[in-house]
Amino acid sequence: IFFRLGCVVTMKCGGPCLLTAGVLVVGAIVTGIVLIVMSFNGVGEGQMCLLYNTDTRIVDPEPHTKPGKSFVGLFSDFICFPKTMLVMQFDQSNPLSVRTREGLKLDLRINIQYRLLSAELYQLFKKTGTDGYKGTLDLVARSTIRNAASAFRALQY
């Protein structure tokens, strides 16, 4: 007797015991295939990603910039950022209010185009998280433009 699964398994096992063993083997194979498939993840065409281990909660500082599927492991996932040109808009719905040298208020409507640098992606993630860079960049852009605008007179606009 080797083990018991609803029937006694001996060297001459047949009928229901053989069926039970077959179901276990098929279940193990299906589980293995599912685990292997779940270990692959992809980087999109317009993305650059950092590898994040969900078990240890460690982020790999080396960005993955080439698009396509790759084996990342069962407990890993990608944290992705856009590598395309991004636009920050200060328009009628979101104006940028500045003051001139004389103290006159102006509402500027401008577009700022920017791109995230893959070499600095890990540092950006450490400082701002996944989407925090947008708010931080908005604050820095507003502050820088306001400071620069205050150096000019109203007639220079």
Side-chain angles (χ1 to χ4, degrees):
I1 298 173
F2 292 103
F3 61 94
R4 183 169 176 88
L5 287 173
C7 63
V8 178
V9 177
T10 62
M11 296 302 278
K12 293 183 179 182
C13 181
C17 293
L18 191 57
L19 180 65
T20 304
V23 168
L24 288 175
V25 169
V26 169
I29 290 172
V30 168
T31 301
I33 290 172
V34 168
L35 291 176
I36 289 172
V37 168
M38 289 175 54
S39 297
F40 283 87
N41 206 337
V43 175
E45 187 67 38
Q47 296 178 326
M48 53 187 164
C49 304
L50 297 172
L51 185 62
Y52 174 67
N53 187 315
T54 56
D55 187 35
T56 61
R57 298 182 186 260
I58 295 175
V59 176
D60 182 15
E62 189 63 35
H64 294 256
T65 57
K66 293 183 181 176
K69 294 273 186 192
S70 59
F71 183 81
V72 295
L74 189 58
F75 299 107
S76 295
D77 200 5
F78 282 128
I79 299 172
C80 296
F81 296 85
K83 68 177 177 181
T84 57
M85 188 68 70
L86 302 170
V87 177
M88 180 186 310
Q89 293 182 325
F90 298 107
D91 53 15
Q92 288 180 335
S93 64
N94 183 27
L96 177 58
S97 297
V98 298
R99 299 245 179 224
T100 64
R101 186 186 302 174
E102 298 90 7
L104 298 173
K105 181 183 173 190
L106 293 176
D107 286 335
L108 300 180
R109 292 173 181 85
I110 58 175
N111 291 333
I112 300 172
Q113 294 181 334
Y114 65 98
R115 182 177 295 158
L116 301 177
L117 302 174
S118 62
E120 303 295 325
L121 192 61
Y122 180 68
Q123 294 301 320
L124 179 69
F125 172 76
K126 278 181 31 179
K127 291 178 182 176
T128 64
T130 54
D131 284 330
Y133 72 91
K134 295 174 185 174
T136 303
L137 186 59
D138 183 75
L139 292 174
V140 169
R142 285 179 184 272
S143 176
T144 303
I145 293 170
R146 281 186 186 131
N147 289 342
S150 66
F152 295 94
R153 307 175 106 215
L155 294 176
Q156 290 176 303
Y157 285 95

